[in-house]
Amino acid sequence: DAGITQSPRYKITETGRQVTLMCHQTWSHSYMFWYRQDLGHGLRLIYYSAAADITDKGEVSDGYVVSRSKTENFPLTLESATRSQTSVYFCASSEQGGLYEQYFGPGTRLTVT
Amino acid sequence: GENVEQHPSTLSVQEGDSAVIKCTYSDSASNYFPWYKQELGKRPQLIIDIRSNVGEKKDQRIAVTLNKTAKHFSLHITETQPEDSAVYFCAARGISGAGSYQLTFGKGTKLSVIP
């Protein structure tokens, strides 16, 4: 599991600030995903990427931006953080988009004050 | 898009008893159904999965069954142990509105195994 890492692990920011969460994987997996986890909602997909320079929106993409210039990195940016974006964010990767295991990173706990 | 319902939200069992968690899905085209276990403060990890061409799959004390006609699948844990205590998530691979395949997760079941 050391193959997928996230940074920072904890972050406190203020409303309106821009925040970038980093995700890095060493397996050369083609697919990468960002989820948020909130009590009572499970895991909800924010964005995913099928390969470098290919990204697509998930269920809850409003207020978030992603990029994927390199296969191993998939940063998530909150352009103007809001309190409703307080959550635990998980990055994941898989060899294929659907029929293979998704490996999750350790998560980033973000608090927006 | 896909919608996954998971029940119950909490489940308490005595050590050694069986636990069953049930999920239903809405998209009849969904073809992959993984189950993830998440211990407190940790990341979700895959424990078992099943594909739509299989009705049942077992791995030691864990089994998953799939009923495509009824669009539901279940996780069965036998001879539960305290280390089985965790939150369990089901998921279904369906087709998003944009035409791409995505995993949709249930809201989770908190399983407590009482020694």
Side-chain angles (χ1 to χ4, degrees):
Chain A
D1 288 356
I4 182 165
T5 57
Q6 293 182 234
S7 62
R9 295 292 314 279
Y10 303 91
K11 177 73 176 178
I12 300 174
T13 191
E14 295 177 343
T15 300
R17 299 259 185 164
Q18 183 179 79
V19 178
T20 296
L21 310 183
M22 304 301 293
C23 178
H24 176 79
Q25 53 103 355
T26 60
W27 295 309
S28 298
H29 284 170
S30 56
Y31 280 80
M32 296 188 75
F33 309 84
W34 274 107
Y35 295 90
R36 62 176 289 174
Q37 184 173 37
D38 305 287
L39 197 62
H41 289 279
L43 291 155
R44 292 182 291 175
L45 183 66
I46 304 171
Y47 266 98
Y48 71 100
S49 170
D53 298 322
I54 300 175
T55 63
D56 204 355
K57 295 180 178 180
E59 177 188 356
V60 290
S61 60
D62 287 348
Y64 302 95
V65 175
V66 294
S67 62
R68 189 147 179 230
S69 57
K70 294 183 178 181
T71 299
E72 60 267 29
N73 296 323
F74 191 38
L76 175 73
T77 298
L78 287 66
E79 295 183 294
S80 178
T82 65
R83 291 194 180 89
S84 65
Q85 292 177 310
T86 292
S87 186
V88 178
Y89 291 85
F90 285 100
C91 176
S93 71
S94 73
E95 293 180 72
Q96 296 291 335
L99 294 179
Y100 293 84
E101 177 176 359
Q102 289 189 17
Y103 296 86
F104 284 81
T108 294
R109 182 174 294 277
L110 175 68
T111 301
V112 183
T113 62
Chain B
E2 177 66 276
N3 182 49
V4 177
E5 299 284 340
Q6 183 172 347
H7 300 279
S9 57
T10 59
L11 178 61
S12 292
V13 299
Q14 292 289 333
E15 182 177 358
D17 287 351
S18 296
V20 180
I21 303 170
K22 299 181 179 181
C23 289
T24 61
Y25 61 98
S26 61
D27 186 354
S28 57
S30 289
N31 59 0
Y32 174 65
F33 307 91
W35 286 87
Y36 283 81
K37 175 183 180 181
Q38 186 179 28
E39 297 177 351
L40 188 63
K42 301 291 182 63
R43 71 190 78 188
Q45 292 190 301
L46 181 75
I47 55 171
I48 196 167
D49 56 13
I50 191 168
R51 301 183 184 188
S52 59
N53 58 347
V54 176
E56 183 176 5
K57 184 177 179 180
K58 291 183 180 180
D59 183 3
Q60 299 183 332
R61 297 186 296 108
I62 294 173
V64 58
T65 58
L66 172 65
N67 183 326
K68 288 192 296 181
T69 303
K71 290 190 282 188
H72 69 71
F73 56 112
S74 300
L75 177 71
H76 304 254
I77 305 174
T78 59
E79 301 174 8
T80 54
Q81 300 168 4
E83 51 265 39
D84 294 329
S85 296
V87 178
Y88 292 81
F89 293 96
C90 64
R93 175 183 182 255
I95 303 176
S96 72
S100 58
Y101 290 98
Q102 297 178 8
L103 277 183
T104 300
F105 286 82
K107 293 183 179 180
T109 296
K110 183 178 181 180
L111 174 64
S112 300
V113 179
I114 304 165

